[in-house]
Amino acid sequence: MKSAIRGTTRIAGVMGWPVKHSRSPQLHGYWLDQYGIDGAYVPLPVEPEKIATALRALPALGFAGANLTVPHKTLALSLVDRVAPVARRAGAVNTVIVASDGTLEGRNTDAFGFLAALQQSAPDWKAERPVTIIGAGGASRAVIVALIDAGVSEIRVTNRTRARAEALAELAPGLRVLDWDKRHAALEGAGLLVNTTTLGMGGQPPLDLDLKALPADAVVNDIVYSPLETTLLAAARTRGNPVVDGLGMLLHQGRPAFHAFFGIDPAVTPALRTHVLGT
Ligand code: ATR
């Protein structure tokens, strides 16, 4: 049953431009209902030039905090009072918490979300073997931070624009950059392959990647979640590799934010997946 909004209701939301495609209201709304919390989570359409004003309004309006989505995640680093170390390393803030003294703390929960989803969907995955990452955008940075913190020592990155992959080298001494046209060979001996590009998303071309060199037991993780089964995941499944789709990361990244806003670490369940996919 949907809980009513009252004078006591704790409020949080998501700022984006546009924000109407965000799944966060459905995600947090489901958990609020599930746990019977006196809370509300609202979409906040905030134009890029108004993000500083909007963030400063959060404590004034009594908000518990807000999630940030495109295009606010990078700029917010310089707009909050404190940046948590993971957000600094990931180069993006996706969660802003209003502290009890009214100051703003910027966090990044994407790295947590990526690892939690991987561990839930591929419980046998181990950090010992090399990881190959396709792409070097914002999502790639968060994935690399997560993998370093999980203890991975060899990370190979290949990106169409090589310079962007080279810029990630500051994150880890064991990071190796490979040319885009060598991406097929970059799969040799890997225990995990992650696509962090937008290739394979609805409306985009598929990721052109020959899986021949990939070990049969390597986990294949695509962070694209629309469609849920990308061409990459379908090819991996056909050859017997364990696969992890992108919806898990989306759902798990919401957990630390929900906990900070509403005080409960919520569960990611099959029913939640169906709910978020169907709305
Ligand atoms: P995000 O923050 O979601 O990671 P992004 O920063 O725009 O988004 O990064 C998109 C990623 O997809 C990049 O790695 C990008 O490669 P470039 O750095 O060369 O742009 C990759 N990508 C997007 N379209 C691509 C295409 N047609 N071929 C190869 N890579 C592509």
Side-chain angles (χ1 to χ4, degrees), residues 158-241:
T158 175
N159 193 51
R160 176 181 60 177
T161 312
R162 189 184 162 101
R164 285 188 94 190
E166 278 165 358
L168 298 174
E170 61 173 32
L171 287 170
L175 197 136
R176 285 175 51 203
V177 175
L178 292 113
D179 281 340
W180 183 241
D181 61 8
K182 304 271 162 39
R183 63 193 181 281
H184 316 286
L187 306 180
E188 206 170 296
L192 171 66
L193 161 66
V194 188
N195 173 43
T196 70
T197 71
T198 48
L199 294 168
M201 208 179 263
Q204 298 278 328
L207 171 64
D208 171 18
L209 186 63
D210 184 347
L211 300 181
K212 203 163 57 227
L214 188 72
D217 63 344
V219 176
V220 178
N221 188 342
D222 200 330
I223 71 161
V224 169
Y225 61 87
S226 180
L228 210 47
E229 178 152 288
T230 57
T231 306
L232 170 67
L233 291 189
R237 200 188 294 278
T238 302
R239 65 198 291 283
N241 290 91

